Amino acid sequence: MMNRNSVIGWVLIALIMIGFMWYQSKEIEKQQAYQAKLDSAAAVEMMRQAALDSAQAVLAASDTTGTQVVVQAAPVQPVYKDSLLEAASSGTGETIVLRNDKMELALNTRGAQPLSARLEGYSNYDGSELYLFKEGDSELGYSVFTGEYINTKDFLFTVAEVSDTVAVMRLPFAGGGYIEQEYALSEGSYSVRHRLSFVGMDKVIPRNVSALDVDWKLTVPRMEKGFRGESQYSKVDYRFAGEDKISDFGKGKSGSKRIENRLDWFAFQQQFFTAIMHPHGGFSSGDLGVTFFTQEDPSHNLMTCKASMRQDFTPAPSVTYETDFYFGPSHYWTLKSYHESYEKIIPLGGWLIGWFSRLVIIPTFNWLHRFISNFGIIILLMTLLIKLIVLPFSYKSYSSSAKMQVLKPEIDKLNEKYPKQDDAMKKQQATMDLYRRAGVSPMGGCLPMLLQFPILWAMFRFFPASIELRQQPFLWAEDLSTYDSIVSFPNIPLLGDHISLFALLMAASMFFYSKITMQGQASGNDPNAATMRFMSVWMMPIMMFFICNSLSSGLSWYYLLSNLVTMVETWVIRKWFVHPEDIYAKLKASEGKPVQKSKWQQRLEEAQKMQRQAQAQQKNSRR
């Protein structure tokens, strides 16, 4: 008689065997469906090749005198088993145009698929009409096994219903039933509702078919002035099911991704415009890819995006799949209104920077736009407003810098007193003692400055991605969303083919601000200080010019304003809030008196003491 453990063991073995057999049966079904797809594709290719060979045989039989030799070609076999499919597989499709106040969507009855999408109220940089994709640049097909593997893009659909905003097309089967595709536009929306229905197809589609494949190839044309900026902010986005985070790849670089987990939707995103595909049931898996064209490509296209996705399929007398397409601008509030996290495709930075942009910068920007139409003036007011908000934090930094400027003569005396490199530790200790007696903290201005870096970075991400600035002129700039050009020339590596005046002025303002700031910091014979001075005064302005020369002129305009306001703030603080006589009076009053050290100063002196001891031990060991 078996004991309890033996019974449990045999039950577990039985369950494992049953599970394994079930898994194997599903794998066999997938392999059979895939093999049927390959066999059907191979059969189609063989039929086409046979027809081509027959035509070539007729041409080859013509003699040199021009007399046509009649050759009896073999009869061409039908490509598809279903007679209605065979009839629908040839012929040229018709164009159906749907319109609302936001867009014009052209459909092709061959494949019942989008043909082109033109957006109202927008234009390309050269003034031509803006097409998110043009005729011949979109290919969308749904593949399913119906006893033979078929793709909807290969067949002519008949028009069942059409109006200004709705089109219904059908593909009938001789075995019964039909495939129906419906496209519908809503007034005031960039969204396109698509319905794919399999009506009465339960006798045509085998019961073991469990997948519907979706293939979409889309070529996006160039729309902006600057190729570098446009391609850098163009990418493929996608959201995994159940997640709030958006994943992406591309950004000017060709690439592909294999998706093994479920997706809610994906997007083909140009810098300012986006095509999104969002099936209500999501995708079970698939492949996404993007290939960028070169700047010199004569087609004037930006990128070709591809998606080969799989959806779950359950055969039934009537099955309908609903998909929402979005063909429109990457405008934050427009995308956010769909409540599907579409707005997160706009590259506003990581969680901290993105949070600041969404909660502070964008609302402030839009609020100012309610009263002011000129975006250059809006950027000016935003700069002043931001500087006013952070002034309590930046005041300490500017004040500390001004006090160090006052103490520069005293620092120069210490440099003369300790000219040797061996006395560097003594000089540093004497300098710190001088700062303590004057009530100056050299590190006091660092933290406030660090707090401003997120704002600067948020602006760096916001301006090039803000469609509000697109084609908005200001001063000599024709478009604040891209670079302004005062001089053009053949392309030069790193620099490009132009010089941006806004970027040049921004770099100059950074140079003068750094030069003014570094005047208050005595370097003596310290090589590290000299290196820091060179990096701050020369290298950083030059680097920023090369970076911003091909980016948004609105961004350079903001950085220029920020530097100018900072210089004014520094000048005001030095002139009216920092009094040299008070600092020298404090120095004189502290002579000969012990000054309380901060914990940071105590730790620094302890570290210096340990360093001196280590150096002394090293010298003794050498002797």
Side-chain angles (χ1 to χ4, degrees), residues 22 38 55 195-196 202 229 238 249 276 291 293 314 339 366 473 507 537 570 576 599:
W22 176 82
L38 295 179
R195 287 180 179 174
L196 174 67
D202 51 314
Y238 53 97
F249 67 94
I276 302 175
T291 301
F293 291 83
T314 303
H339 306 291
N366 290 341
V537 176
T570 303
W576 281 288
K599 292 182 178 180

Side-chain angles (χ1 to χ4, degrees), residues 531-569:
T531 301
M532 183 179 297
R533 178 187 295 272
F534 174 76
M535 290 294 296
S536 178
V537 176
W538 292 101
M539 288 303 299
M540 285 302 297
I542 293 174
M543 289 173 57
M544 285 301 295
F545 169 73
F546 277 93
I547 291 173
C548 294
N549 189 54
S550 295
L551 294 181
S552 163
S553 55
L555 175 65
S556 298
W557 169 232
Y558 168 77
Y559 282 163
L560 169 62
L561 290 171
S562 181
N563 291 334
L564 293 176
V565 173
T566 299
M567 284 191 282
V568 171
E569 288 177 336

Side-chain angles (χ1 to χ4, degrees), residues 318-392:
S318 181
V319 183
T320 298
Y321 293 88
E322 293 194 7
T323 297
D324 291 328
F325 288 93
Y326 176 87
F327 301 132
S330 299
H331 180 260
Y332 181 83
W333 296 111
T334 301
L335 294 174
K336 188 176 178 61
S337 66
Y338 290 93
H339 306 291
E340 294 290 349
S341 298
Y342 292 163
E343 74 278 2
K344 293 185 178 180
I345 68 174
I346 302 176
L348 297 177
W351 70 270
L352 177 61
I353 304 301
W355 173 84
F356 181 78
S357 298
R358 295 180 183 96
L359 297 184
V360 179
I361 295 179
I362 293 178
T364 303
F365 194 81
N366 290 341
W367 179 76
L368 290 173
H369 186 46
R370 291 169 55 188
F371 311 101
I372 303 171
S373 59
N374 188 298
F375 282 91
I377 302 299
I378 291 176
I379 294 174
L380 170 62
L381 295 178
M382 278 188 65
T383 307
L384 296 175
L385 184 60
I386 291 173
K387 283 292 185 179
L388 183 62
I389 293 173
V390 302
L391 182 59

